[in-house]
Amino acid sequence: MSRGGGGGLTGVEQTGLAVGLVLAAGLMWPLRGYLTDDTFIHLQYARHLAAGRGLVFNLGERVYGCTSPLWAAWLAVGMRLGLEGLGWARVSGCAATLASVVVFLGLLRRTVPTPAVRAAATVAWAGHAWMLRWSVSGMETPLAVLLVLAGFSAFRGDGEPGERPARTGTLWALAALTRPEASVLLLLWGASLISAAENREGVRRLIAGSLPPVLLYGGWLLWAYLYYGTVWPSTLAAKAAGGTALEFQLENLRRPLELVGATDGALLAALALALGFGGRAVWTSAGFGAPSLVPWVWVLVLPALYVGRGVPVLSRYLLPLSPVLAWLAWRAVNAWWLGLGAAPAASRRVGWLGAALATIVLAQNLAVFRGAVIPHVRTFSPALERSLVRWGTWFHDHTAQAAVIAAPDIGMIGYFSGRRVVDLAGLVTPQMVPFLNREAPEEAVARFRFAEFSRPDFLVDRSDAPGALRRRSPYGPCLTTLGSAGVPNLGIARPHPAVYTLYRVDWAVFDSLKTVPPR
């Protein structure tokens, strides 16, 4: 059967694409008010860039804390044109999500022979719960997914992998400028090009495929080194700071397994069955020769890097590999099913099997969407408006321009206040990272480690109870409570409630307490 990569969409594919786009748009609608603090980190960088003040979070502080320079630049373009930043970010994320549905079908058309299976798989991807969660959050995630997916579509081409080297290299270089983890794709891509450079055509592909990443991503790294003094984002070092105990490592291993299993468990099971029982046809279709190994290594190495680095994994960190995993699974099961009987009866049966698997996958994702995503959005966003958004606005209206605020979540505080922020999590304040490598964040804040390099006027603490920092810190008497607000959780992966408390810091009292060594 023809794979249909070069022709028009069949009727069943048109139906699948239309259903997928309507499904994705409909499921994004109830998430339209979703707020997350990290979005405002991007917006803060973008606002300063649009105003010609540099790609910085705090004015005058050149810290490489923006891991998505392409997203920040895109937001800055919209803001420079007079668009409201958050709205522009949400519209852009929504558009990238819908585009990923179209590109996913295009990738399937190049590699999956059965049109009905391609249509069913497209509908299943359109309902992916984690993709939908981040679609209108204003984060860079949908763009990263789109660029990774488009790169694989170019990588496959209409024939052998690597037929469109310049386009593939360009898309994956842009993906690396959107999410730093995509730089792993560039390494894999480079290795595949080198391994295939055995003749004149291979050398031509090596040059064509490596030139765009060198110019785009290499150019950015050179600029970052000249501007920030480093090519390594402080954000990555901060996120990797934490415990080294076995319990911590096991938690980091468990989290990605749970996140992937929640939305892609059925596809993983189908992939395992296909590889186990599909025979030669499946393994031939899967493509385990270089450079066809690139997608397989990508979906395995990215979670391993997170676990190895000790990064607490969120669903958006794994999303760039989710459509690639889905593509590999659908390609394998389609080859397996076609090998179970003779055409044309096999083709009809494969179509029904594809619809059945897509129904299971979609049901799994809709359960996650209804049971986890919707409740989180409906409770978390209003809680942030009552706390960090309100306090950021208060700082803007009631404090001096030179006021400094220390906080563990800096996006909303920095964006709405317009004041300098000390990042207690170390993302844009790298001076905190050495302390966070030695002790828990709560302990570092309680011991006022930030006082060794800054004396903020205000402090926002995140604990399990109002005013908890005054009780657990030896410097509690220097804190005056100005207000507190609770949030139901800090994310789907962190379901426990938390309380933000806002303090004013009296450094004269701190100095008097400093003469007594803390216990």
Side-chain angles (χ1 to χ4, degrees), residues 468-496:
L469 184 61
R470 278 181 55 86
R471 296 187 293 272
R472 74 172 188 268
S473 172
Y475 307 113
C478 77
L479 299 173
T480 301
T481 303
L482 300 180
S484 62
V487 293
N489 54 68
L490 295 174
I492 293 175
R494 295 180 288 179
H496 304 294

Side-chain angles (χ1 to χ4, degrees), residues 26 32 40 242 270 282 301 357 379 409 428 435:
R32 62 193 181 278
F40 291 87
V282 171
V301 75
L357 178 57
T379 57
D409 298 299
V428 300
F435 302 111

